[in-house]
Amino acid sequence: MYEMAQGDESPWYGYLQSLPRRADIPLLWDAESLKWLAGTDVGKWVERDEKNVRDDFGVLQTLVADYPSVFVSQNGVRWDDFECFMDTTSLVSSRAFMVDEFRGNSMVPFADIFNHLTSAANVHIESEEAVCLLCGNEFGCEHTEPLDDSDDESEHEDHDDCESHGDHEDHEGCESHGDSGSDEWSDEGSEDESDGEEIPILVDCNGIPVIDSSDDMDVDDDDDDKDKASDKNEDDSPKMDDDDMLSGTLDMVVYQPCNAGSEVFNTYGDHGSAYLLHRYGFCDTDNDFDSVALDT
């Protein structure tokens, strides 16, 4: 309802314009039509739905009163109109589906144009449902990566080594050993390899430096090695695989042949006709998942 109220300023304006005003689900049937559902599972579900929808509408009215600048009645949307609320509810009920654990049930443009056909669908929707619940990322993020506590463990081990000495004198020795050890390593590590023995330079009889032919060959060899390494790096550069291409997407995947000129069907799940009628407003005449519930 909020996006509809934004009119053409909503990023979903084009999609919303393609939707009908309401979906023909039993929740919106008149009293005469509901008589056909008396004593059925769908009839019981509709009675439950009517109460839940009115409770939700009451909660919405509280929000509208608290935030009037957000919930503005415009572009055909009236926040205090229960019928308008029911129309929107029917669209969500008949078109929304589970995307992932972060986004929950969502209405997805294009994905909802496929009709359902039990046990004979051509396509189905795939997504990565196990995502971060805080940001929706699929393959790890700052909320799911473990903290690096290796430094803490190292400090803890050093502290345990010092405490393992029996007396105060040994403890002081441990501290002094740690200080001297770090000084030694820092001194050795600070020495550059070029600080060692000086390499003699070849000169001619006039004292002018000359380049040894072997050095020249080494330079050429190094250049060749660099060129080969560069070519190898280009070959080994990461390429986008199928997982990367599917990352962050919702994909309609064909898994049964689609004949030219024939309708392409999706599947809404393995559900009986009672569920399909209640949720989407239609029944499948050939449904292997039909069942009858018995009250005990």
Side-chain angles (χ1 to χ4, degrees), residues 128 138-139 240-249 251:
E128 182 66 41
E138 297 178 7
F139 302 111
M240 182 174 291
D241 57 17
D242 292 340
D243 290 338
D244 294 331
M245 294 179 66
L246 297 179
S247 176
T249 63
D251 304 284

Side-chain angles (χ1 to χ4, degrees), residues 1-7 10 16 70-72 74 77 79 88:
M1 286 183 69
Y2 176 82
E3 294 297 339
M4 289 179 174
Q6 304 311 304
S10 169
L16 296 175
V70 175
F71 301 99
V72 180
Q74 57 186 358
V77 175
W79 294 100
T88 308

Side-chain angles (χ1 to χ4, degrees), residues 257-293:
C258 301
N259 298 323
S262 300
E263 182 176 359
V264 178
F265 289 96
N266 184 20
T267 174
Y268 301 167
D270 298 335
H271 303 298
S273 294
Y275 178 91
L276 295 175
L277 177 62
H278 170 250
R279 176 74 184 273
Y280 304 107
F282 69 88
C283 290
D284 198 339
T285 55
D286 186 13
N287 193 336
D288 294 335
F289 301 98
D290 277 338
S291 62
V292 177

Side-chain angles (χ1 to χ4, degrees), residues 15-232:
Y15 169 63
L16 296 175
Q17 293 302 300
S18 71
L19 302 178
R21 186 174 71 87
R22 58 164 54 185
D24 187 19
I25 60 176
L27 181 62
L28 303 183
W29 289 5
D30 57 30
E32 189 65 25
S33 299
L34 286 175
K35 290 181 180 179
W36 291 95
L37 299 179
T40 67
D41 293 335
V42 181
K44 298 175 183 177
W45 297 340
V46 170
E47 292 179 0
R48 179 199 61 194
D49 291 344
E50 289 176 344
K51 179 182 181 305
N52 291 337
V53 169
R54 291 197 174 276
D55 291 342
D56 292 341
F57 184 70
V59 174
L60 175 62
Q61 297 312 298
T62 301
L63 293 174
V64 171
D66 292 341
Y67 304 97
S69 61
V70 175
F71 301 99
V72 180
S73 295
Q74 57 186 358
N75 296 315
V77 175
R78 293 186 54 189
W79 294 100
D80 59 349
D81 186 353
F82 182 69
E83 183 177 354
C84 180
F85 180 75
M86 290 286 284
D87 290 345
T88 308
T89 299
S90 69
L91 294 177
V92 174
S93 172
S94 62
R95 293 175 178 268
F97 56 90
M98 179 68 176
V99 172
D100 56 43
E101 296 177 354
F102 174 72
R103 297 165 183 86
N105 287 326
S106 305
M107 297 175 66
V108 181
F110 186 77
D112 60 4
I113 67 174
F114 297 90
N115 288 323
H116 166 88
L117 186 61
T118 302
S119 301
N122 309 101
V123 300
H124 64 93
I125 297 175
E126 290 186 356
S127 65
E128 182 66 41
E129 293 190 5
V131 299
C132 175
L133 299 180
L134 298 178
C135 67
N137 284 346
E138 297 178 7
F139 302 111
C141 63
E142 60 181 357
H143 307 114
T144 57
E145 292 177 355
L147 296 177
D148 185 8
D149 54 357
S150 58
D151 293 339
D152 295 340
E153 292 180 356
S154 177
E155 292 178 359
H156 182 69
E157 291 175 357
D158 292 341
H159 183 67
D160 289 343
D161 290 341
C162 290
E163 288 184 347
S164 63
H165 294 283
D167 50 35
H168 181 68
E169 181 180 355
D170 291 339
H171 181 70
E172 290 179 349
C174 178
E175 290 180 349
S176 61
H177 176 72
D179 293 341
S180 62
S182 61
D183 291 341
E184 288 181 14
W185 285 110
S186 62
D187 290 339
E188 292 179 5
S190 63
E191 292 180 359
D192 196 311
E193 293 180 359
S194 62
D195 293 341
E197 182 180 357
E198 189 178 78
I199 300 176
I201 300 177
L202 298 180
V203 295
D204 60 13
C205 59
N206 297 320
I208 300 175
V210 296
I211 300 177
D212 188 14
S213 59
S214 61
D215 293 339
D216 192 14
M217 293 178 59
D218 291 342
V219 172
D220 293 339
D221 292 342
D222 290 343
D223 291 340
D224 292 340
D225 293 341
K226 290 180 180 178
D227 292 339
K228 292 178 181 179
S230 177
D231 295 338
K232 185 176 185 302

